[in-house]
């Protein structure tokens, strides 16, 4: 998590991150097409870097080309995506994900992280979250990190958790100690739902892993087939 004093500092922070990470590929996801178009322009005005973008205003062919350019070794260092980039595309060759802003839905956050954290990922996925102190962005960052532990581990039962909580933290009026109280409730809810899901999984595994009556019949059939072949 990277707490900042103002929105204008996000681009400066991003430039510093690019310099720090050297040649590493970076996938950046933000909410809107407008931001996905604006961020590359701001970056190019500050630093000389190959930067691609990916949003719903582009044709499918344009998006395919942009994704391919990002995948090339000498292609784009950073691909800036609107929320559409969190669905369907796989970028497991990259190891750094910048969440330029955060969604209100934990399932959508999981989808974003899933662009990197999937089969074929050869390294730890590094998640970078810049947020402005005192804004709803800070509320969401702290809620996901401290309440749901969603940046460190896959969040199971997100729909059930959201139903029990009654939704994400409100956009307005969530200050200390109300925020801390909501985080504490979320943490307890997350643990409760996780245990409930584990019990269900264990019971399902138990029901399907040991069926001696069926197993005995299968063994007898196999033995009968072997006997027929011998004779």
């Amino acid at each position: 998590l990277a707490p900042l004093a103002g929105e204008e500092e996000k681009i400066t922070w991003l430039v510093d991150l690019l310099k720090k990470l050297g040649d590493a590929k970076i996938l950046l996801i933000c909410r809107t097409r407008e931001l996905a178009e604006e961020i590359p322009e701001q970056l190019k005005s500050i630093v000389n870097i190959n930067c691609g973008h990916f949003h719903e205003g582009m044709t499918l062919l344009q998006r395919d080309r942009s994704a391919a350019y990002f995948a090339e070794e000498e292609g784009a260092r950073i691909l800036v995506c609107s929320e559409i980039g969190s669905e369907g595309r796989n970028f497991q060759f990259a190891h750094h994900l910048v969440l330029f802003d955060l969604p209100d839905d934990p399932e959508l956050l999981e989808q974003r992280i899933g662009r990197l954290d999937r089969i074929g990922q050869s390294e730890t996925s590094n998640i970078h979250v810049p947020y402005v102190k005192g804004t709803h962005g800070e509320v969401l960052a702290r809620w996901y990190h401290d309440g749901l532990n969603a940046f460190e581990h896959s969040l199971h039962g997100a729909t059930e958790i959201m139903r029990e909580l009654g939704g994400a933290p409100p956009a307005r009026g969530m200050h200390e100690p109300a925020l801390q109280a909501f985080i504490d409730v979320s943490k307890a809810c997350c643990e409760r739902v996780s245990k409930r899901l584990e019990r269900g999984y264990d019971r399902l595994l138990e029901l399907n892993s040991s069926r001696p009556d069926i197993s005995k019949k299968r063994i007898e059939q196999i033995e009968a087939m072997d006997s027929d072949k011998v004779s």
Side-chain angles (χ1 to χ4, degrees), residues 28-92:
L28 183 150
I29 302 180
C30 56
R31 291 193 182 198
T32 67
R33 168 186 173 178
E34 288 74 21
L35 263 178
E37 292 176 325
E38 179 183 330
I39 292 170
E41 292 301 320
Q42 292 188 30
L43 282 177
K44 290 176 183 177
S45 69
I46 300 172
V47 62
N48 182 22
I49 189 170
N50 291 333
C51 181
H53 56 274
F54 188 106
H55 56 73
E56 56 272 32
M58 304 166 65
T59 66
L60 182 59
L61 179 59
Q62 288 173 326
R63 294 200 295 267
D64 285 344
R65 287 175 175 171
S66 191
Y69 179 49
F70 182 49
E72 294 173 3
E73 186 175 350
E74 300 300 325
R77 273 280 318 284
I78 179 170
L79 181 66
V80 180
C81 302
S82 67
E83 204 69 77
I84 195 174
S86 63
E87 302 175 2
R89 297 285 177 161
N90 302 328
F91 301 105
Q92 61 265 39

Side-chain angles (χ1 to χ4, degrees), residues 156-173:
H156 300 296
T159 301
E160 193 170 350
I161 291 170
M162 288 291 279
R163 184 169 58 248
E164 290 195 18
L165 292 176
R172 298 181 181 276

Side-chain angles (χ1 to χ4, degrees), residues 5-162:
E7 287 290 341
E8 66 281 355
E9 291 189 12
K10 280 190 174 182
I11 294 297
T12 302
W13 169 87
L14 182 56
V15 170
D16 289 341
L17 180 67
L18 284 163
K19 293 177 180 178
K20 177 182 177 182
L21 295 180
D23 294 329
K25 298 276 188 177
I26 299 174
L27 177 67
L28 183 150
I29 302 180
C30 56
R31 291 193 182 198
T32 67
R33 168 186 173 178
E34 288 74 21
L35 263 178
E37 292 176 325
E38 179 183 330
I39 292 170
E41 292 301 320
Q42 292 188 30
L43 282 177
K44 290 176 183 177
S45 69
I46 300 172
V47 62
N48 182 22
I49 189 170
N50 291 333
C51 181
H53 56 274
F54 188 106
H55 56 73
E56 56 272 32
M58 304 166 65
T59 66
L60 182 59
L61 179 59
Q62 288 173 326
R63 294 200 295 267
D64 285 344
R65 287 175 175 171
S66 191
Y69 179 49
F70 182 49
E72 294 173 3
E73 186 175 350
E74 300 300 325
R77 273 280 318 284
I78 179 170
L79 181 66
V80 180
C81 302
S82 67
E83 204 69 77
I84 195 174
S86 63
E87 302 175 2
R89 297 285 177 161
N90 302 328
F91 301 105
Q92 61 265 39
F93 55 85
H95 313 306
H96 293 273
L97 173 65
V98 172
L99 303 176
F100 201 76
D101 49 28
L102 292 168
D104 293 316
D105 187 346
E107 288 190 347
L108 193 50
L109 177 67
E110 281 289 292
Q111 289 180 17
R112 287 188 180 191
I113 296 173
R115 297 313 95 213
L116 268 61
D117 187 19
R118 58 192 314 103
I119 294 174
Q121 178 58 261
S122 59
E123 299 182 16
T124 300
S125 296
N126 300 278
I127 302 173
H128 309 271
V129 186
Y131 66 86
V132 178
K133 291 183 288 186
T135 67
H136 187 52
E138 178 180 10
V139 171
L140 289 174
R142 290 180 55 189
W143 177 52
Y144 281 129
H145 184 56
D146 299 327
L148 303 182
N149 197 25
F151 298 133
E152 296 287 341
H153 301 283
S154 296
L155 183 62
H156 300 296
T159 301
E160 193 170 350
I161 291 170
M162 288 291 279

Side-chain angles (χ1 to χ4, degrees), residues 210-223:
S210 179
R211 295 184 178 181
D213 52 336
I214 296 177
S215 299
K216 183 178 179 182
K217 290 181 180 179
R218 295 288 183 267
I219 292 172
E220 290 174 350
Q221 290 172 352
I222 292 172
E223 290 176 342

